[in-house]
């Protein structure tokens, strides 16, 4: 490094727009979320797949509809043209196509994906963000069994995250949607664009969606009115029975196939004991091109934009949203804004997925590799969890606040002319590390005892090991538990033989771990992630999602055409 | 997805050049290596930092000398210009400069980095590869204490990976190098380029390096000869004593400061009980610009190119190497070759680092944030570990071969007209998952018993739970340990009550885990990673590195000018 210091940087010191550093308690909380999710994935027999962060540009193109414009390309520096992955699903399909010896597999992946979208960092909407995916591929099964296991996994993940009563899984079926569009008289070539208009019903009122269908997409007004009758339907088994009784719908081959799938699915979800978390919603359409069967997404409080939640009559709001959205776009062109405070943006869905039976064929035309999966939006789950913990002051608990895991701080003190005993402290640390004990010490040759205690306290390290010249000469060293009350008999520490130190420390750590485990048992299984129910709501409409206005329907987050939500 | 299948892809189905997918046993072995390394990092009080995969282009430029041409840039799509990170050190320095409240920190990071270099995949030389970094930043310490702890960590990592006797840590000091160049009469403006010529001594013989210095870099031949006297020196404390006795060297302020640092460092390494792993080597120079003090790298068998190891007289080899290297470059221009079989490429160093006291100032001119750290090249460590395990047939052990962790396969069988009991199998799985037990089942409505056993066996799942209609009616289910010999009393399984099933399975799993742990205890602490010493070599020259020709000096991998090795 040149020694002459520059006085000013020629560029802004920051991470790129829509990205962030993860450190401290945030990274610990995020890792706990990862761990909760992957534990569930592994309990279902999944193997891990880790693909490159960039793919050949040709692999990604043609999968994301209008959102392809959000793909990051690498610069052409000679050689292959590459792009940063947009999701984990397409790389999984590419991997399956390259590994034809794999006939069936459950795979999971945790990795960052990239979208050049408008960021809203505080809501976990980033340009670089994590996805946790679980997918089942292969043709060895009977219909809807794998689909049901994926939905069971969705439920297990959110239950284990402590979200009981705070999430809803919205389900629909592409074939039912396609069938009902046919029944209503939508021309074949308009089905995808009408479907994507329907998908906006979680953000816009019907009147706005109808206007888009009729005015922008040239649909007959009467056809639109027929669609309304269907896509406003939501429910559980009752809705399925209603559809089964609808002769026009059952007369359409696609709709009939979809309804039969849903019927099987609900039976299996009951066997898995998760039916009460599900919500059959005919307005759910999902943007991505590749879905072919059941589709689903998980919503929670905050999924919908605040401004929509605050009003009952959406007419005015919708125009407002369009305005504020345009404004945000314009502002972005000149500065590097974060839209976390924009009321037109909700957190969006926290998990989403579906069945995609023909994606692998894009890469291997002869492949017969039906797939179904789910993608968890970990950054959004993190943002919501953190906000709740802050609201409930859970972040004060030392198990969350601690950034390091250090068990022991090794220190020394002595009188006048004391040399600091640095090599002796090092040797003690060595003996602890050798025994697998996490230990630190001061980097000063001579460090004041008070400074050493302060260092141990500031990291909430539970034990101090204290060296002194006399004790050392006698082959002894002192173990002191930090933070004992002044009347405690061991307040001043306990002398142990140096050769016994690792064993003595381990004994105390084991005892402490036992106490902490008991404590955790009392507080609840998933101590820090678990958020207590805010009082039992009698309503099961929508199922299990409490803390919302009862008259309000569960809503998906902001509309981004073709967005797959997470 | 469109239903009409394309007959042929318009692009090659592959991952981008120099990248790979990680799955199956590979990803399990790699994750064990990650876990071994991060356990050590955390035992030393490190916190985790996760930075974005791309940085502003300006953040990266100017740090990597000639190797800046290997940086991947993102395409300019409007907005900021960004590049993929080249290492984890510069993002760490950028983070320190942005977070001025942090006065001192030990941080670790595991992440992929990107270099548009010639790949040699089989040797773990990739364009996308993992680094595991540990760095200490801050000015709260006295000289060389943090440096010693970093080197202690290096030793702990390789010992815990089971590499005892198979690695050597080469150490040098930039100030000693700079001082000796001054003493030898190298003009100030030539010091960096002469230093990078010296760094090639691990690959080229002195005659070639001398030629480069004199013919290409215009150094006086007599000066080069003086340099030779120094840079061929290697050793331990004996070398340090020799340098201390050299009056000309001790008369140079830089060399003197470096020698005093090294003297302190060796004392501390002795206190940490790792001095016998270290090798003071005056030819080690390291390519990166930002090092200011002690520098080090870890080499192992295979670090040097095979063709160099095979010969004693390097003169002819060197020319050979240049030829094959040119050939490889040329071939690359037309196809997508992998140079794993190129004898001119060794694995290179498996870990490297040093002190960089002024890097943070690049981003915050007033910063005073001295740093020292180490970067582990996990892909190379993985390649070497895997090759050894293959050579020693360790990959056959089921704990390595298993890709999933599934504990129980839930199956059913019955006579004629049997319905397959799918909902019952689902309900049993649910009860196991609820209890935290890893369970799978067949996705077929009706599956033959043999097919179900085959599925369980192929994934080496240890237990089967077998449902039958009669047992079910009696509230019972059978647990069967897989692979019991035919004379075993529990060969046909044990009937237990359905309500007791999770407890009964857990009991068996705990017992099995105990047995496995005892087994592991017998085999050795780090069962699968540990590679038994290939017989004790009496030689301690070079220290602790066995299995090499004794007359051969430890050598670093291929020279890549300005390469930081890992």
């Amino acid at each position: 490094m040149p020694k002459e210091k520059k006085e000013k940087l020629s560029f802004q010191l920051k991470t790129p727009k829509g990205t962030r550093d993860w450190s401290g308690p945030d990274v610990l909380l995020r890792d706990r979320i990862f761990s909760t999710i992957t534990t569930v994935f592994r309990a279902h027999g999944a193997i891990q797949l880790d693909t490159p962060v960039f793919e050949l540009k040709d692999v990604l193109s043609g999968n994301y509809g209008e959102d392809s414009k959000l793909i990051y390309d690498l610069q052409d520096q000679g050689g292959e043209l590459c792009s940063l992955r947009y999701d984990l699903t397409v790389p999984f399909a590419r991997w399956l196509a390259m590994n034809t010896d794999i006939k069936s597999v459950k795979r999971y992946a945790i990795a960052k994906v990239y979208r050049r979208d408008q960021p809203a960092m505080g809501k976990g909407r980033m340009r670089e963000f994590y996805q946790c995916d679980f997918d089942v591929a292969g043709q060895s099964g009977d219909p809807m069994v794998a689909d049901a296991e994926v939905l069971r996994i969705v439920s297990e993940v959110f239950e284990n995250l402590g979200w009981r009563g705070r999430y809803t899984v919205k389900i629909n079926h592409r074939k039912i949607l396609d069938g009902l569009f046919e029944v209503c008289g939508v021309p074949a070539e308009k089905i995808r664009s009408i479907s994507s208009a329907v998908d906006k019903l979680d953000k816009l009122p019907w009147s706005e969606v109808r206007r888009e269908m009729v005015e922008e997409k040239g649909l007959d007004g009467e056809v639109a009115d027929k669609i309304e009758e269907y896509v406003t339907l939501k429910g559980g088994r009752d809705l399925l029975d209603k559809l089964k009784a609808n002769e026009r719908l059952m007369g359409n081959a696609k709709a009939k196939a979809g309804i039969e799938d849903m019927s099987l699915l609900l039976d299996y979800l009951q066997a898995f004991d998760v039916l009460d978390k599900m919500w059959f919603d005919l307005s759910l359409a999902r943007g991505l091109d590749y879905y072919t069967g059941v589709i689903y997404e998980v919503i929670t409080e905050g999924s919908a934009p605040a401004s929509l939640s605050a009003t009952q009559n959406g007419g005015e709001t919708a125009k407002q949203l369009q305005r504020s959205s345009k404004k945000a776009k314009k502002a972005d062109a000149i500065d590097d804004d974060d839209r976390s405070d924009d009321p037109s943006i909700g957190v969006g869905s926290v998990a989403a997925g579906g069945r995609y039976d023909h994606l692998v064929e894009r890469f291997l035309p002869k492949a017969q590799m039906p797939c179904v999966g789910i993608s968890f939006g970990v950054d959004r789950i993190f943002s919501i969890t953190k906000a709740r913990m802050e609201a409930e002051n859970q972040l004060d608990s030392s198990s969350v606040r601690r950034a390091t895991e250090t068990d022991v701080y090794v220190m020394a003190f002595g009188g006048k002319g004391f040399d600091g005993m640095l090599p002796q402290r090092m040797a003690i640390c060595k003996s602890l590390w050798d025994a697998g004990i996490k230990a630190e010490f001061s980097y000063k040759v001579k460090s004041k005892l008070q400074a050493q205690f302060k260092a141990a306290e500031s990291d909430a390290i539970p034990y101090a090991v204290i060296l002194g010249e006399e004790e050392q000469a006698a082959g002894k060293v002192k173990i002191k538990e930090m933070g004992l009350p002044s009347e405690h008999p061991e307040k001043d520490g306990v002398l142990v033989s140096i050769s016994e130190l690792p064993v003595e420390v381990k004994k105390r750590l084991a005892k402490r771990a036992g106490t902490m485990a008991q404590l955790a048992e009392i507080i609840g299984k998933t101590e820090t992630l678990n958020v207590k129910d805010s009082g039992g709501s009698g309503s099961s409409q929508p199922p299990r999602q409490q803390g919302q206005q009862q008259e309000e329907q569960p809503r998906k987050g902001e509309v981004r055409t073709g967005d797959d939500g997470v």
Side-chain angles (χ1 to χ4, degrees), chain A residues 142 322 329 526:
Chain A
D142 280 314
Q322 286 183 322
K329 274 237 168 67
T526 47

Side-chain angles (χ1 to χ4, degrees), chain A residues 348-378:
Chain A
S349 59
V350 289
R355 174 163 285 282
Y356 48 102
D357 282 348
H358 301 296
L359 182 58
V360 181
E361 291 163 23
R362 244 210 94 213
F363 304 112
L364 187 68
K366 67 176 172 10
Q368 299 217 333
M369 190 58 85
C371 299
V372 60
I374 181 77
S375 179
F376 292 87
V378 187

Side-chain angles (χ1 to χ4, degrees), chain A residues 157-172:
Chain A
V157 162
F158 286 104
E159 296 291 313
N160 287 351
L161 285 171
W163 286 34
R164 175 165 296 178
R166 291 180 182 266
Y167 68 97
T168 300
V169 186
K170 288 165 55 170
I171 317 181
N172 199 5

Side-chain angles (χ1 to χ4, degrees), chain A residues 255-274:
Chain A
K256 184 165 180 283
I259 289 167
E260 282 167 359
D261 272 358
M262 285 299 285
S263 185
L264 259 183
L265 180 67
L266 296 195
D267 288 347
Y268 295 152
L269 293 175
Q270 189 150 28
F272 280 146
D273 194 25
V274 293

Side-chain angles (χ1 to χ4, degrees), chain A residues 5 104 171 205 214 237 262 328 418 481 488 491 514 527 550:
Chain A
K5 297 181 186 179
S104 71
I171 317 181
V214 176
R237 273 196 193 276
M262 285 299 285
F418 181 60
E481 185 170 351
H488 195 284
K491 168 74 185 164
E527 186 214 353
Q550 289 202 15

Side-chain angles (χ1 to χ4, degrees), chain A residues 179-180 182-184 229-230 233 239-257 259-260:
Chain A
L180 77 83
E182 285 181 10
V183 165
C184 293
E229 287 174 34
Y230 288 105
L233 296 176
L239 174 54
L240 190 66
D241 293 338
K242 199 168 172 180
L243 298 182
K244 279 179 178 171
N246 184 321
E247 283 176 22
R248 285 185 61 211
L249 216 49
M250 292 301 281
N252 177 286
K254 285 180 192 164
K256 184 165 180 283
I259 289 167
E260 282 167 359

Side-chain angles (χ1 to χ4, degrees), chain A residues 397-446:
Chain A
S397 90
S398 71
S399 65
V400 178
R401 184 169 52 84
R402 282 195 75 185
T404 76
E405 299 166 6
T406 311
D407 296 319
V408 177
Y409 198 93
V410 175
M411 49 185 82
F413 86 117
K416 210 179 162 214
F418 181 60
D419 72 354
M421 298 181 76
L422 177 58
Q424 291 88 343
R425 285 185 278 136
M426 287 174 155
I428 292 287
C429 276
K430 171 219 147 7
S431 70
L432 295 172
W433 293 327
D434 280 346
I437 297 164
K438 300 168 185 129
E440 290 190 86
F441 66 102
S442 165
Y443 281 175
K444 291 269 190 205
V445 172
K446 298 182 191 179

Side-chain angles (χ1 to χ4, degrees), chain A residues 110-156:
Chain A
I110 299 194
K112 289 171 171 177
V113 300
Y114 299 87
R115 300 182 188 179
R116 296 181 62 254
D117 209 347
Q118 283 305 102
M121 318 269 282
K123 289 171 177 165
R125 298 175 72 91
M126 317 279 287
R127 289 184 156 193
E128 173 184 68
F129 60 99
Y130 277 95
Q131 286 192 332
C132 285
D133 280 26
F134 174 94
D135 293 80
V136 182
Q139 32 168 339
S140 62
D142 280 314
M144 308 314 289
V145 185
D147 314 60
E149 187 170 16
V150 171
L151 286 165
R152 163 77 200 184
I153 284 171
V154 170
S155 172
E156 271 182 46

